[in-house]
């Protein structure tokens, strides 16, 4: 989306659709937030699966109702890979206008509520989580009592959190 590395600075763009409190059948336009970070020490060396698990642990500390969901984690990894391969970073497919994340969540759960947080950048899990918690919409997804399940998947510099609840 036009963010680029400038010197030692990396930009983190976090985009999230505020559907945490809305039924899946209601689709809203995504909101965009941009965060600026210095690269975290060792953050580029952390394997994607470890970063995903650590992001789950940090979210679970905030909301103990969130249980790891392997199916959602696999779907989140697919989503991160799809975004990277498509060269896009947004909730809605630029060609169809659909949010593919909801189809991925429905592959795991026939739930009433779903949410998605997207992150982009080489920050450590702790820096990424801190940025998510400083964003009201992302924080709302993480703390939402309607969500019981969370899967996190990372591919290269993109991480996806998929939430599901009944």
């Amino acid at each position: 989306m036009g963010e680029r590395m400038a010197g030692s600075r990396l930009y983190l763009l976090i985009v999230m659709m505020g559907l945490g409190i809305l039924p899946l059948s209601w689709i809203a336009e995504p909101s965009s937030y941009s965060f600026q970070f210095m690269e975290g020490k060792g953050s580029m060396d952390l394997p994607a699966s470890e970063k995903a698990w650590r992001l789950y642990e940090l979210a679970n500390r905030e909301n103990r109702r969130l249980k790891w969901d392997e199916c959602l984690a696999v779907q989140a990894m697919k989503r991160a890979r799809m975004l990277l391969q498509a060269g896009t970073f947004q909730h809605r497919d630029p060609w169809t206008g659909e949010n593919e994340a909801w189809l991925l969540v429905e592959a795991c759960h026939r739930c009433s509520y779903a949410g998605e947080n997207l992150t982009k950048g080489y920050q450590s899990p702790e820096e990424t989580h801190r940025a998510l918690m400083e964003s009201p919409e992302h924080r709302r997804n993480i703390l939402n009592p309607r969500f019981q399940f969370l899967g996190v998947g990372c591919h290269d510099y993109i991480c996806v959190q998929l939430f599901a609840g009944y």
Side-chain angles (χ1 to χ4, degrees):
M1 290 187 89
E3 281 72 12
R4 300 187 190 274
M5 281 192 279
S8 64
R9 290 186 169 183
L10 289 178
Y11 294 89
L12 169 68
L13 175 64
I14 299 176
V15 180
M16 175 285 218
M17 187 176 289
L19 294 179
I21 57 171
L22 301 173
L24 268 179
S25 60
W26 192 88
I27 303 294
E29 289 302 312
S31 302
S32 297
Y33 297 89
S34 182
F35 296 91
Q36 188 174 18
F37 284 97
M38 298 300 286
E39 183 180 333
K41 192 173 190 179
S43 63
M44 292 177 74
D45 298 330
L46 192 63
S49 61
E50 288 182 31
K51 183 173 183 179
W53 179 254
R54 184 68 182 135
L55 285 170
Y56 163 74
E57 288 179 325
L58 293 165
N60 182 258
R61 282 187 189 171
E62 306 287 348
N63 180 354
R64 291 289 181 191
R65 290 177 48 96
L66 293 173
K67 302 299 178 220
W68 177 260
D69 188 284
E70 189 64 30
C71 183
L72 287 176
V74 168
Q75 298 300 327
M77 172 63 119
K78 286 181 186 176
R79 177 86 164 131
R81 190 177 306 122
M82 289 179 347
L83 290 169
L84 190 68
Q85 290 172 349
T88 184
F89 189 74
Q90 53 193 352
H91 292 278
R92 292 184 180 274
D93 183 289
W95 297 277
T96 67
E98 295 181 13
N99 187 333
E100 297 172 16
W102 311 134
L103 297 175
L104 297 172
V105 170
E106 286 182 335
C108 300
H109 295 278
R110 295 284 179 206
C111 57
S112 301
Y113 302 95
E116 176 185 53
N117 289 347
L118 303 178
T119 67
K120 182 168 107 174
Y122 288 108
Q123 292 69 32
S124 71
E126 290 75 17
E127 290 170 311
T128 300
H129 180 73
R130 191 173 317 119
L132 288 167
M133 293 305 290
E134 289 173 358
S135 164
E137 287 79 8
H138 296 93
R139 180 181 182 89
R140 192 174 314 134
N141 266 352
I142 292 169
L143 298 179
N144 192 327
R146 291 186 174 163
F147 292 145
Q148 292 102 14
F149 305 103
L150 172 60
V152 184
C154 299
H155 184 72
D156 202 347
Y157 57 88
I158 294 177
C159 290
V160 176
Q161 292 179 322
L162 292 177
F163 300 85
Y166 297 94

